Amino acid sequence: MKLYPEMFFSPWHLIVVVLALIAFIGLIKGGYDRKTVLRSTGLSTLVFYFILTIPIGLITQESLYKEETMLTDLDQNFEDKKADSQLQSLKDYVVLHVGAYKNEDDADIVVYAGNYHESQTFNGHITLFVYDKNDEEVFTEMYRDITLAPGEKKKLDTSFTSQPMDTYRYRYETHPQM
């Protein structure tokens, strides 16, 4: 399990502050002495923090792991394309990567796109074709009006499928810039 800073300090952790404040005010209103109020508030803050961090950590770790692996694979796809000397037009600098993350009965399909051109923006449609092991089409998806600034990488879609998928292909349709 890889640890990310977002697992330990997120906007959701503000709940701990609110709960600690409620505990602090409740102890003061209860008439407890200063030492008991500070000790109990500190302990309750730690307990609240750990109770909240466990589910946040599990949820955040999975999504950040997917994002990290998708961006790494997207970069690798571009490097492979560059090594094959396939970079001739703007469309060649736009790379798509589809990743499947298996769950119990189905798979999460995550789609990322990146524009690796240094100065030109990509505007257009990207069509994705997903195939199974028998080279039969599982599904097709068109992403319309995609804009990718130079160097930009972004998540296009997340979907689910129970059908097995093996490979994918994609095609572009660019729009002239105005």
Side-chain angles (χ1 to χ4, degrees):
M1 180 171 161
K2 188 169 182 182
L3 300 178
Y4 299 94
E6 292 87 352
M7 294 167 65
F8 302 104
F9 302 105
S10 71
W12 289 101
H13 282 92
L14 291 176
I15 294 170
V16 173
V17 174
V18 171
L19 293 174
L21 188 60
I22 291 170
F24 180 76
I25 292 170
L27 289 167
I28 289 177
K29 292 276 188 186
Y32 290 94
D33 63 282
R34 183 176 179 198
K35 181 180 177 183
T36 304
V37 169
L38 293 176
R39 183 172 24 98
S40 297
T41 302
L43 288 174
S44 65
T45 301
L46 286 173
V47 169
F48 295 148
Y49 177 79
F50 287 116
I51 289 173
L52 188 65
T53 299
I54 291 170
I56 288 174
L58 294 173
I59 294 166
T60 304
Q61 193 274 336
E62 181 181 358
S63 66
L64 290 175
Y65 170 76
K66 284 180 185 178
E67 180 181 4
E68 182 180 311
T69 57
M70 289 298 293
L71 291 174
T72 301
D73 291 344
L74 190 66
D75 291 340
Q76 185 61 48
N77 288 353
F78 176 72
E79 291 301 321
D80 293 345
K81 198 176 209 184
K82 191 165 85 172
D84 293 339
S85 299
Q86 297 178 1
L87 305 176
Q88 298 166 358
S89 68
L90 171 62
K91 292 191 322 184
D92 296 330
Y93 286 89
V94 176
V95 178
L96 192 78
H97 184 69
V98 179
Y101 297 90
K102 185 88 171 126
N103 292 330
E104 293 172 9
D105 296 331
D106 60 359
D108 296 338
I109 307 298
V110 184
V111 182
Y112 271 74
N115 179 4
Y116 287 85
H117 200 278
E118 294 176 1
S119 62
Q120 288 188 317
T121 300
F122 171 81
N123 292 307
H125 306 311
I126 299 175
T127 305
L128 169 67
F129 305 93
V130 178
Y131 298 94
D132 64 8
K133 292 181 182 190
N134 299 325
D135 211 27
E136 294 177 15
E137 192 172 297
V138 176
F139 67 87
T140 300
E141 187 72 39
M142 178 180 252
Y143 304 103
R144 298 186 178 276
D145 301 321
I146 300 298
T147 301
L148 294 169
E152 181 180 13
K153 303 170 198 170
K154 69 179 176 182
K155 181 178 180 179
L156 296 182
D157 192 17
T158 299
S159 61
F160 307 96
T161 184
S162 58
Q163 297 175 312
M165 96 172 216
D166 187 51
T167 188
Y168 62 91
R169 296 181 189 110
Y170 54 94
R171 125 179 118 216
Y172 313 102
E173 180 183 321
T174 59
H175 299 293
Q177 292 185 4
M178 298 182 195

